[in-house]
Amino acid sequence: MNVKVHVAGEAHASYAEEICSLLEISAQQRGTGIARRSPDYIRRKIESGNAVIALTDDGKLAGFCYIEIWSHGKYVANSGLVVAHDFRQLGLAKQIKHWVFDLARDKYPSAKVF
């Protein structure tokens, strides 16, 4: 399956619940304490253009990450990086990280990135 990373937009808001489920499942599998986010929170990140999403050609969710912003854009961090189990070990997380980092630099050029 071919996977492409995109800057998320309003057309991707319908994936918010699935992203939340994927984040929770991933945290349980890895035994990590990823903070839970509501579908509304994820939807706002998507609709504001502060997220990237990886999808297969047929629209299956493969991965996701969003930008967290503090102090009116003075500081940003990439957060919520997740890759669906079937797409791990393929270098997709690295691609998503590059996309979200570039997005953060483009949208918040003077911000300090954490």
Side-chain angles (χ1 to χ4, degrees), residues 13-65:
S14 61
Y15 288 93
E17 289 182 25
E18 187 177 356
I19 290 165
C20 289
S21 295
L22 183 58
L23 285 165
E24 190 168 339
I25 290 166
S26 179
Q28 289 172 352
Q29 289 174 341
R30 296 176 179 268
T32 60
I34 295 174
R36 284 194 174 142
R37 299 291 186 219
S38 71
D40 285 337
Y41 183 85
I42 296 298
R43 203 171 289 111
R44 285 193 303 273
K45 291 294 182 181
I46 290 170
E47 290 172 350
S48 67
N50 284 325
V52 297
I53 191 167
L55 302 169
T56 64
D57 288 338
D58 62 354
K60 183 175 181 183
L61 176 66
F64 180 78
C65 190

Side-chain angles (χ1 to χ4, degrees), residues 75-113:
Y75 305 99
V76 297
N78 305 325
S79 191
L81 174 64
V82 65
V83 174
H85 186 269
D86 292 345
F87 301 95
R88 293 184 183 154
Q89 305 299 317
L90 302 173
L92 183 56
K94 187 175 185 176
Q95 288 180 44
I96 292 170
K97 284 183 191 182
H98 282 288
W99 272 79
V100 77
F101 181 82
D102 289 345
L103 179 62
R105 296 294 340 142
D106 289 344
K107 289 191 78 170
Y108 306 96
S110 60
K112 292 183 182 183
V113 180

